[in-house]
Every structure is written in structure tokens, then in C-alpha cells.
């Protein structure tokens, strides 16, 4: 007991003791930051692969739903390249108007396991409208600046805008087209 009483008032080695105690949360914070950076990279990679998969399946014309699903799955498998995550199997849903791709990933943590967090999970999704399957919203920016003076540029621009609007209007069902016109000039 005498040695223990002598230990408490002693001040030698206090800095080392406090540094050793403080090192634990510092190491956990640094490990958490590293795990979070890895998670952000994996999440971005997953989202980009889902976006591309949905687009690749929505755009081609004349395909069956099964072909669209296979195109999306192949695209996802080729483009999700984050090696520290088990390759997710995306769920692809094809409807008349859209293609929706979803996938879940589970990223094993490193130093966060000390705090009892073994995995970080993310569920990503992307939905793309199939061409002319739904509504279209178009905004035309028409140039009324000085550069348009002469050679009937104003009239040609007006005629081209009218032709485009009429073409879109005839291609889409009623009430599925919204057009906005924005005049542009330097003034």
C-alpha cells in the first residue's frame, strides 16, 4: 500500500500517461476518417454504375424488357470496380416509361471495428425515363443579341424554333410537352 500512496502524488510521467490515454480516440478518429473516405469512394462508384446501367437500358429502341435488364446488369458489372466491396447484384425494373436500377453494398470497415462498427451500408438507385415515354420539358434560349443582325437570322431562328416545337408536339401525346422560351441578349 505504501508504494501506491507514493505513486499518486508523483508527477513524473504524467504527460506520457495522458498521451497514451488520448491516443486511443485520436487513432479511432483517424481510422474513422479513412473508413469514411473509402465509403465515399465506393458510394460514388456504385452510383455512377447505377446511373450508367439505367441509361444504357433505357436508350436503345426495339428491345424486350429482358434484353434491357441484361444490358443494365452487364453495364453495371463492367463499371462497378470498387475492389473492397463484394460485387452487388443490381435490381433492374423496366416499365413502359422508365428503367430503374437499385443496388446495395456493404463496405467492411477497418479501424472502426474497434468501436463495434463492422460495416457501412449504402443503397443506391437511379431512374431514367425512356425516350418519349413520358413528358418532355424543353427550354429554348433564343439569341437576340447584336450578332444576329442581318441575313434573316432572326427569321431563320424563329422558323427553326417553330419547326422544333411542332415536331416535338406531334411526337408526344397530348399534354405531355412543356415549352419555355427565354430571350437572350447582351443587354
Amino acid at each position: 500500500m505504501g508504494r501506491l500512496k507514493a505513486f499518486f502524488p508523483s508527477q513524473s510521467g504524467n504527460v506520457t500517461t495522458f498521451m497514451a490515454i488520448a491516443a486511443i480516440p485520436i487513432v479511432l478518429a483517424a481510422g474513422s476518417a479513412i473508413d469514411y473516405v473509402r465509403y465515399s469512394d465506393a458510394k460514388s462508384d456504385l452510383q455512377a454504375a447505377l446511373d450508367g446501367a439505367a441509361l444504357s437500358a433505357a436508350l436503345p429502341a426495339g428491345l424486350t424488357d429482358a434484353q434491357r435488364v441484361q444490358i443494365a446488369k452487364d453495364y453495371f458489372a463492367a463499371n462497378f470496380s470498387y475492389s473492397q466491396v463484394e460485387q452487388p447484384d443490381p435490381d433492374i425494373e423496366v416499365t413502359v416509361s422508365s428503367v430503374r436500377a437499385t443496388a446495395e453494398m456493404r463496405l467492411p470497415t477497418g479501424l472502426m471495428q474497434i468501436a463495434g462498427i463492422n460495416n457501412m451500408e449504402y443503397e443506391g438507385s437511379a431512374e431514367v425515363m425512356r425516350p418519349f415515354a413520358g413528358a418532355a420539358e424543353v427550354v429554348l434560349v433564343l439569341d437576340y443579341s447584336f450578332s444576329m443582325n442581318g441575313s434573316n437570322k432572326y427569321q431563320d431562328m424563329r422558323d427553326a424554333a417553330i419547326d422544333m416545337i411542332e415536331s416535338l408536339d406531334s411526337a408526344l401525346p397530348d399534354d405531355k410537352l412543356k415549352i419555355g422560351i427565354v430571350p437572350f441578349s447582351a443587354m
Side-chain angles (χ1 to χ4, degrees):
M1 188 73 171
R3 286 185 160 175
L4 192 57
K5 284 184 182 180
F7 176 74
F8 285 119
S10 175
Q11 294 183 5
S12 63
N14 281 351
V15 173
T16 306
T17 305
F18 286 123
M19 287 302 291
I21 293 170
I24 295 169
I26 291 171
V27 169
L28 282 175
S32 296
I34 292 168
D35 284 340
Y36 184 75
V37 168
R38 289 178 45 243
Y39 173 74
S40 293
D41 287 345
K43 186 172 134 178
S44 295
D45 200 37
L46 178 75
Q47 193 60 53
L50 286 171
D51 291 343
L55 277 171
S56 68
L59 292 179
L63 297 179
T64 66
D65 289 354
Q67 289 171 319
R68 290 182 190 283
V69 168
Q70 192 57 51
I71 287 171
K73 285 186 178 268
D74 291 345
Y75 185 96
F76 183 86
N79 288 284
F80 183 72
S81 60
Y82 200 78
S83 61
Q84 297 174 11
V85 174
E86 184 179 323
Q87 182 78 10
D89 183 26
D91 181 34
I92 310 298
E93 179 185 340
V94 179
T95 67
V96 174
S97 61
S98 68
V99 174
R100 181 174 173 81
T102 58
E104 295 178 7
M105 71 167 190
R106 181 176 295 188
L107 177 69
T109 59
L111 287 175
M112 289 176 71
Q113 290 181 5
I114 295 170
I117 301 170
N118 296 324
N119 297 299
M120 292 193 295
E121 298 176 3
Y122 175 71
E123 181 177 341
S125 67
E127 186 169 4
V128 176
M129 287 184 63
R130 290 174 58 183
F132 297 111
E137 296 180 6
V138 179
V139 176
L140 299 174
V141 179
L142 303 179
D143 186 359
Y144 285 99
S145 66
F146 184 73
S147 66
M148 294 295 288
N149 281 344
S151 302
N152 292 327
K153 289 182 181 179
Y154 288 121
Q155 289 78 15
D156 291 343
M157 177 179 59
R158 181 199 66 203
D159 294 342
I162 290 170
D163 288 344
M164 180 181 167
I165 291 168
E166 288 175 350
S167 295
L168 287 171
D169 189 46
S170 65
L172 291 170
D174 290 339
D175 300 326
K176 295 295 183 183
L177 176 64
K178 294 179 183 177
I179 299 283
I181 298 177
V182 178
F184 167 80
S185 75
M187 303 307 266

